[in-house]
């Protein structure tokens, strides 16, 4: 085990990001390493949907609040967690994450259940990171709810 084993994890307030942060902290603990949680933000709202703030400073503050809330929630769920470094960076999520992970041993991301249309038009942050990252990438799946069971259709005799 080494003290300089670094895991970068993407956090965005989603279930996938939450699961990725949890997995990354457990993995870092097992390797005696550290975790750097990174959240990307953009003022134009191109990747994250509607703009959530009135100006860039508020958007950055919103991102910081999301990241802090996720780290605090992790500590509450697990009791005690090794310290997690937190970084809020302006830019496209895939660019920010792959840049942050350029010296890391591992990049951890959550999968997201976007519709086929959104995936086709915008692409997937995790897919882009897999292509661009200079280190191994772990994508933590988010369970997909089972579709409702359809009653058998009665066939007239």
């Amino acid at each position: 085990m080494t003290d300089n084993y670094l895991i970068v994890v993407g956090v965005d307030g989603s279930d996938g990001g939450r699961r990725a942060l949890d997995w990354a902290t457990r993995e870092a603990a097992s390797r005696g390493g550290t975790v750097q949680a990174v959240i990307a933000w953009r003022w134009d709202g191109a990747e994250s949907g509607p703009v959530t703030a009135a100006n860039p400073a508020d958007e950055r503050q919103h991102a910081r609040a999301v990241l802090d809330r996720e780290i605090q929630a992790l500590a509450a769920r697990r009791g005690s967690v090794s310290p997690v470094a937190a970084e809020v960076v302006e830019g496209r999520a895939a660019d920010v994450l792959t840049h942050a992970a350029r010296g890391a041993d591992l990049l951890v991301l959550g999968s997201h259940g976007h519709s086929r249309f959104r995936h086709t038009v915008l692409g997937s942050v995790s897919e882009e990171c897999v292509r661009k990252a200079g280190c191994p990438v772990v994508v933590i799946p988010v369970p997909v709810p089972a579709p409702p069971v359809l009653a058998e259709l009665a066939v007239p005799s």
Side-chain angles (χ1 to χ4, degrees):
M1 290 198 259
T2 174
D3 287 336
N4 60 2
Y5 191 88
L6 175 62
I7 298 176
V8 171
V9 59
V11 176
D12 62 1
S14 70
D15 188 38
R18 201 166 296 116
R19 289 170 177 274
L21 180 61
D22 186 62
W23 189 90
T25 56
R26 289 178 193 274
E27 184 68 13
S30 75
R31 294 175 181 262
T34 58
V35 172
Q36 179 181 354
V38 178
I39 189 168
W41 67 276
R42 288 180 68 176
W43 171 240
D44 63 12
E47 286 184 353
S48 59
V51 175
T52 58
N55 59 58
D58 287 348
E59 187 68 25
R60 184 185 191 291
Q61 185 176 6
H62 172 73
R64 169 54 82 178
V66 168
L67 184 57
D68 290 346
R69 185 173 53 244
E70 292 297 328
I71 292 170
Q72 290 168 1
L74 174 69
R77 282 191 310 273
R78 297 222 338 245
S80 67
V81 176
S82 299
V84 175
E87 187 175 11
V88 178
V89 182
E90 182 178 9
R92 288 183 64 250
D95 294 339
V96 165
L97 293 167
T98 54
H99 182 76
R102 71 186 181 282
D105 295 288
L106 198 59
L107 174 60
V108 180
L109 307 165
S111 66
H112 298 285
H114 295 307
S115 70
R116 180 178 291 259
F117 174 75
R118 179 175 173 140
H119 176 77
T120 301
V121 174
L122 297 179
S124 165
V125 171
S126 57
E127 279 188 37
E128 189 173 344
C129 287
V130 166
R131 287 192 307 270
K132 292 173 65 173
C135 65
V137 178
V138 173
V139 179
I140 304 299
V142 175
V144 177
V149 177
L150 299 176
E152 287 186 41
L153 297 175
V155 178
S157 34

